[in-house]
Amino acid sequence: MEKSKRRLQLAFSLLFGLWLPCCLTQTTPSNSRLKVRLAGYPRKHNEGRVELFYKGEWGTICDDDFSLSNANVLCRQLGFVSATGWTHSAKYGKGQGKIWLDNVLCNGGEKSIELCKSRGWGNSDCTHDEDAGVVCKDERIPGFVDSNVIDATVDENRVEEVRLRPIVAMAKKRLPVTEGVVEVKHKDGWAQICDVGWTIKNTRVVCGMLGFPHERKKNHFHIHSVACTGTEVHLAACPMEFSKPNATSSCEGGMAAVVSCMPGPLFMQNSGLKKKLKTSVNNVRLKGGARLGEGRVEVLKDSEWGTVCDDRWNLQSASVVCRELGFGSAKEALTGGRMGQGMGPIYMNEVKCVGLEKSIWNCPFKNTTSEDCQHMEDAAVRCNIPYMGLENTIRLTGGRTRYEGRVELLSSDSNGTQSWGLICGESWSTPEAMVACRQLGLGYANQGLQETWYWDSSNVTEMVMSGVKCTGNEMSLSQCQHHKTVNCQKAAAKFSAGVICSETASDLVLNASLVQETVYIEDRPLHMLYCAAEEDCLSKSAAKANWPYGHRRLLRFSSQIHNIGRADFKPKAGRHSWVWHACHGHYHSMNIFTHYDLLNANGTKVAEGHKASFCLEDTDCQESVSKRYECANFGDQGITVGCWDLYRHDIDCQWIDITDVKPGNYIMQVVINPNFEVAESDFTNNAMKCNCKYDGHRIWLHNCHVGDALSEEAEKRFEKYPGQLNNQIS
């Protein structure tokens, strides 16, 4: 027994034996920003036990002398506008570890809890039965970019960063690196891991950290060493030991640990296998994220997409989603609709994945009701993705901040020499800017610019790319369509492409069910349509009518347009350039805000309408969200996050002129922001479609849905026409 005990001690002394004779434990620098998080259960995303990260360790705050002023300071640090209350006596459960602060006294205006008076760090006479909590107002500070993140409960200062060092010479030139020696960041260099007892579970954790969903099934290792279970999201969460400072041999009987990872479909070289795996992933998706591998989690049920509620949402469940989508483990599990709010059903609540499940649908969860969850609680993720080096081949120059400037690409000439070059500004628009900002790692596109004479600070003048056409989903500009040979009519540098990027963006979605509920036909006399004719809201045949006699047949309906994004939707043009229309007595802030179309079976328009944004305003908002935009008295126009703009069925131009349409079956289509004039985080949900039956006297709409709400199979059943690809009127 004593002998086996000594063996066990020897094994643990070799655990994670680094090939550097020192310990990796570090402390948080005193000048680093204090981390704050909410923890405990049961709770919503905007409430919980307060925990602070200080000197490399999470700890709590005692409730002695706690006040609403303290709670206000903490809630603002977390990105909420204010506190609505605070709790005592460990309402959200008892914490662990240190009680960092006691007798905290804030006046309410401090920028951080550490600036308030207290007994000092770690000086407390409390137990964890007295842990304090806060309840924050569920409204985010505008522009607050730090997420309400659920962190891994590990000390990442032990193992901060992991990489694979390729062994084969050819592999060094290929990205991503999927196989190599495991190395961890240590001081100013890199240290290797001893492979004694290395298991396939350890490999799974390393691969997940590096952005790979699976490990290759090759295991030639020995007994138990670094003891991962396989569900961890970071190597630092696995039990391990570090080599002693004076150890003579840190890896006796072993060598450097080597792992081999299987990349997801997006990062595979084998196109056949790539296509096969890509088509198999169809029950979960990410929406609303600016970067690859992040977004609001949506799952497919009964051919309709819905969201996941954030109650009990954690890194293990988030990692299952990430791996299912072909990424690595989860870097962050986000709560509180931090990647925008969905519009459809909420299918899951209290998801409890272990971390080894193949799909989130294999995890235990509760079905939701409207009382349990709302879309302001939609769960989201940020996944680990493989390093591709794409940001090294693009840069911005001349801008006032790092988020804006003229786009320059790194390319190679016939001799293999790299020099930086420009992109022709012709045809450059928002979708192309979205890809550029994503490749740069700078979030969403705010604007795509075709002229950049005001950013002329670089000596780069050669055009290296032209005719760029992106869908908006590509990882880099090189994946977009473009001319094989540069062909640019305006080849001067001042006509090269530029971008303005942003960490947040709006996202407009139409309430499809309201359109279906409010539709009707009106025969409106011509003498009541002079203003509508002036604003081009009638079909062309109206010009030949015998004014003011006769009428036009109008298909009328209401439009309720929600902003579910993370930034307010505002017209691109400033109010100084808005156009006054005297007939209706209002300003147009956007020339075309929506298209209304009636399409026949082959997708050709048989009737159309359009809506200028004569009054973008907050008609109403979610609970706890305040209106910001109102059109009265030449007020500022826009739609606030969490609010909606309602165009009632009985106002001018809220129709399609179907006077010339014959009875039959059609598709009605509404497209918001059709020209991408204002940047959004997601354009796939800007179109709404309905089946339409017209018998010459009455009209029926059914199956109304937003463009991305149904599965691919359900969408194919709904329509067999090319949609917006053919928008000529027959």
Side-chain angles (χ1 to χ4, degrees), residues 316-448:
Q316 277 65 43
S317 298
S319 290
V320 170
V321 169
C322 290
R323 290 182 188 269
E324 186 177 358
L325 288 167
F327 304 113
S329 52
K331 185 160 47 176
E332 296 173 9
L334 299 101
T335 63
R338 293 301 298 129
M339 290 290 177
Q341 300 179 20
M343 281 284 285
I346 303 173
Y347 287 133
M348 293 179 162
N349 189 21
E350 296 191 25
V351 181
K352 300 175 189 173
C353 299
V354 174
L356 297 174
E357 295 88 348
K358 297 288 184 188
S359 170
I360 190 173
W361 285 108
N362 301 138
C363 304
F365 66 91
K366 289 183 179 178
N367 293 317
T368 60
T369 64
S370 57
E371 289 78 28
D372 294 330
C373 289
Q374 297 178 345
H375 280 297
M376 62 180 68
E377 301 167 80
D378 284 343
V381 297
R382 282 197 180 104
C383 305
N384 287 311
I385 63 170
Y387 174 72
M388 300 294 290
L390 298 174
E391 69 277 12
N392 299 327
T393 58
I394 187 172
R395 70 184 183 189
L396 299 182
T397 61
R400 296 161 297 179
T401 71
R402 70 187 188 95
Y403 287 91
E404 66 179 26
R406 179 179 289 169
V407 181
E408 295 184 359
L409 293 179
L410 189 64
S411 62
S412 301
D413 60 19
S414 56
N415 299 322
T417 305
Q418 292 186 328
S419 61
W420 288 94
L422 307 175
I423 301 174
C424 181
E426 296 165 15
S427 78
W428 183 264
S429 62
T430 301
E432 291 72 46
M434 289 172 72
V435 177
C437 291
R438 181 179 299 120
Q439 187 176 350
L440 286 157
L442 295 178
Y444 306 96
N446 189 299
Q447 285 186 50

Side-chain angles (χ1 to χ4, degrees), residues 602-623:
N602 67 11
T604 301
K605 284 189 198 176
V606 295
E608 66 178 353
H610 79 274
K611 190 75 176 173
S613 65
F614 64 80
C615 178
L616 277 175
E617 67 177 358
D618 296 327
T619 306
D620 209 347
C621 301
Q622 293 175 183
E623 186 181 347

Side-chain angles (χ1 to χ4, degrees), residues 27-35 53-55 112 114 121:
T27 59
T28 305
S30 58
N31 62 351
S32 67
R33 185 176 174 187
L34 182 69
K35 288 185 182 178
F53 192 70
Y54 180 73
K55 287 195 172 179
S112 172
E114 61 190 328
W121 288 102

